[in-house]
Amino acid sequence: MTRKLAGTVEARMKKHGGRRQEKTPGPSRNDFGARKARPARSARVGSENPAARGFRRPSPELAAIYGCHAVREALRNPRRQCLDLFATLAAAEKLGPDISARGVAVHEVDSEALAARLGPEAVHQGVLLEARPLPALDVTEIERKSGLVLALDQITDPHNVGAILRTAAAFAVDAVIVTERHAPEFSGVLAKTASGGLEHVPLVEVVNLARALDRLGDAGYQRVGLDSEGPASLEKTALSAPVALVLGAEGKGLRRLTREKCDTLARLDMPGAIKSLNVSNACAVALALTRARLAP
């Protein structure tokens, strides 16, 4: 298998005009220009122990980012500290320019190794990036560009939060505020679902959402809570930038104190037979309406 991979790499180097370096003592370098860690002697193909293949053990200080789009955007993000990249040969070729530009260490693995590390349900697309979590950001450090902020009231499903981040990146949202205790990890499923949005929209973790909304109010934000029982539709609610849209979890909605901290509550009117939306879909509709209302 090693001989076959080496032959493929040499063919690719020849095709792109590259030149293989002579072997030198110490860590080898692969065709992407990054150091390639030597496997431990105990490592073997098909081993069920992820650590035997060079993977780091999961910890709060380690973000596991997988999927081509999510990994590509992480490699392009100068704020993201990248450690090691594990990829199949096909995935490494697909991400080749971004790998070379970042200079991250690359380890060639098979899909089975990635499944053993991430779990059989992970749609990894042949690539896993081990990185450090992004630097923490405070509410007062939100850079006002579009004048739009999202605040999530205990939305815990990583698929929903990931989809919201992807939508937030598409609508140039300045930041997404989440609570520390009731929010998913900022990696794994969330990063994959966000499809790169995690690298473009700052996430602000707060201990107390009510206090964070107070601080947004002090900074001049109009705090608009999305509530199915709101007195008026979002289309008919007077809006003025900057705006913080506040969304609650499906089923529970906004908590009482969160509702009290909002300047106004607004609903999304549905003309069709279905009168409710998934929270990530509701977020997309609300952002589209709000951006249209705030446009000069």
Side-chain angles (χ1 to χ4, degrees):
M1 183 175 179
T2 302
R3 185 176 301 170
K4 182 179 179 181
L5 288 175
T8 305
V9 170
E10 289 175 356
R12 186 170 69 255
M13 292 290 294
K14 185 176 181 181
K15 177 181 178 181
H16 294 286
R19 185 172 56 190
R20 179 176 290 279
Q21 295 180 347
E22 295 296 324
K23 292 184 178 179
T24 57
S28 62
R29 288 181 176 269
N30 62 10
D31 55 315
F32 299 107
R35 290 179 183 266
K36 181 178 179 181
R38 295 184 182 277
R41 290 181 180 273
S42 60
R44 62 183 178 85
V45 176
S47 171
E48 294 303 320
N49 180 9
R53 299 187 180 95
F55 297 114
R56 288 176 169 81
R57 296 189 181 279
S59 72
E61 292 76 34
L62 183 68
I65 302 171
Y66 57 81
C68 287
H69 290 296
V71 170
R72 179 182 288 112
E73 295 305 317
L75 291 172
R76 294 176 178 178
N77 183 1
R79 297 187 303 118
R80 176 73 75 176
Q81 183 184 353
C82 301
L83 302 175
D84 288 278
L85 188 139
F86 299 85
T88 63
L89 185 60
E93 289 178 333
K94 187 174 183 178
L95 296 170
D98 295 297
I99 293 172
S100 296
R102 191 60 187 263
V104 64
V106 182
H107 309 261
E108 287 180 359
V109 295
D110 55 25
S111 293
E112 289 73 18
L114 293 174
R117 166 65 175 83
L118 298 169
E121 302 301 320
V123 186
H124 52 70
Q125 297 178 304
V127 61
L128 161 67
L129 174 66
E130 292 183 338
R132 296 299 182 201
L134 290 169
L137 193 69
D138 188 77
V139 172
T140 59
E141 298 174 315
I142 296 175
E143 187 176 356
R144 192 177 300 179
K145 296 179 180 179
S146 67
L148 260 177
V149 165
L150 292 175
L152 310 185
D153 188 10
Q154 296 191 348
I155 299 177
T156 58
D157 187 297
H159 293 92
N160 280 334
V161 178
I164 287 171
L165 277 170
R166 184 174 185 174
T167 301
F171 281 94
V173 169
D174 293 334
V176 174
I177 301 171
V178 298
T179 53
E180 285 185 358
R181 291 190 59 189
H182 299 278
E185 293 184 5
F186 303 153
S187 62
V189 173
L190 184 152
K192 174 66 172 62
T193 308
S195 193
L198 183 61
E199 309 301 323
H200 296 284
V201 183
L203 272 169
V204 180
E205 281 189 288
V206 298
V207 175
N208 187 294
L209 184 59
R211 284 200 294 266
L213 291 174
D214 279 338
R215 296 171 74 180
L216 287 175
D218 293 340
Y221 282 85
Q222 180 186 8
R223 299 155 297 183
V224 180
L226 293 184
D227 191 296
S228 59
E229 303 299 324
S233 66
L234 185 59
E235 296 97 318
K236 297 180 180 179
T237 299
L239 300 176
S240 59
V243 170
L245 290 176
V246 189
L247 294 88
E250 289 187 66
K252 296 186 297 183
L254 299 175
R255 289 174 294 165
R256 179 188 58 81
L257 189 55
T258 302
R259 291 165 58 96
E260 293 175 358
K261 296 295 181 179
C262 293
D263 299 301
T264 186
L265 298 175
R267 65 178 186 269
L268 293 177
D269 284 341
M270 310 293 170
I274 301 297
K275 299 300 181 182
S276 63
L277 292 173
N278 171 284
V279 66
S280 62
N281 291 331
C283 176
V285 173
L287 282 175
L289 290 173
T290 304
R291 285 297 299 267
R293 296 290 307 282
L294 295 178

